[in-house]
Amino acid sequence: MEEWKEYQLKDATTVLGDGLHGTPKYDENGTVFFINGNNLVDGKIEIKESTKRVSEDEANKYKKNLNSRTILVSINGTIGNVAKYQGEACILGKSACYFNVSEDFDLNFIYYVVASKQFIYGTEKKNTKTSIYEL
């Protein structure tokens, strides 16, 4: 594969961030879900009965730039869960990070690389002394 170029993840993304490092004000009637790494299941955000909710006003305080090119990754607790953001009304907890894939890169290719066992193993190997993974 001589014609392939090697890139680091930071080269393929326009933004990399994580979720709220605190607790929002929950609202059982809220319309926005507070998700963590355990909500990232089989490539999608899974809203569970136990998933906490917040009001739109509360969500606006912690809003991130999530869009159709956003990939979410669990980084604490449940490690290695990956999902594509599909417009869900949500805010992120500290065990989920996100990055937006640059238009110069194929979103699906980057998703499959990040979801691969090799990527997860490499990340775990790099971060053997911490409980929150760095991408």
Side-chain angles (χ1 to χ4, degrees):
M1 301 206 178
E2 285 181 25
E3 66 277 358
W4 286 48
K5 291 183 180 179
E6 254 185 60
Y7 295 93
Q8 293 184 355
L9 185 58
K10 68 180 181 179
D11 299 326
T13 60
T14 59
V15 66
L16 173 63
D18 63 355
L20 172 65
H21 289 253
T23 305
K25 182 179 175 188
Y26 298 127
D27 179 347
E28 64 184 38
N29 296 314
T31 58
V32 180
F33 295 97
F34 181 64
I35 65 162
N36 280 296
N38 62 353
N39 293 101
L40 310 179
V41 180
D42 295 329
K44 298 180 181 176
I45 295 174
E46 180 179 89
I47 305 301
K48 303 171 183 181
E49 199 170 312
S50 62
T51 303
K52 304 281 188 190
R53 297 169 181 250
V54 299
S55 68
E56 283 189 45
D57 286 341
E58 185 73 0
N60 285 334
K61 295 177 190 176
Y62 309 109
K63 188 175 183 177
K64 301 291 184 179
N65 182 22
L66 308 180
N67 61 51
S68 63
R69 299 196 57 81
T70 299
I71 296 175
L72 305 164
V73 180
S74 62
I75 58 171
N76 186 6
T78 306
I79 304 300
N81 291 349
V82 181
K84 292 182 202 171
Y85 178 73
Q86 298 179 6
E88 297 86 350
C90 65
I91 60 172
L92 306 178
K94 69 178 178 180
S95 68
C97 79
Y98 73 99
F99 54 88
N100 296 340
V101 177
S102 168
E103 293 286 340
D104 297 334
F105 292 85
D106 183 275
L107 174 70
N108 291 322
F109 180 81
I110 300 299
Y111 169 82
Y112 287 113
V113 167
V114 172
S116 72
K117 289 179 182 178
Q118 293 86 350
F119 182 86
I120 294 166
Y121 173 75
T123 303
E124 288 174 342
K125 187 175 178 182
K126 178 182 173 203
N127 292 287
T128 56
K129 296 182 181 179
T130 181
S131 62
I132 298 177
Y133 290 122
E134 299 173 12
L135 295 179

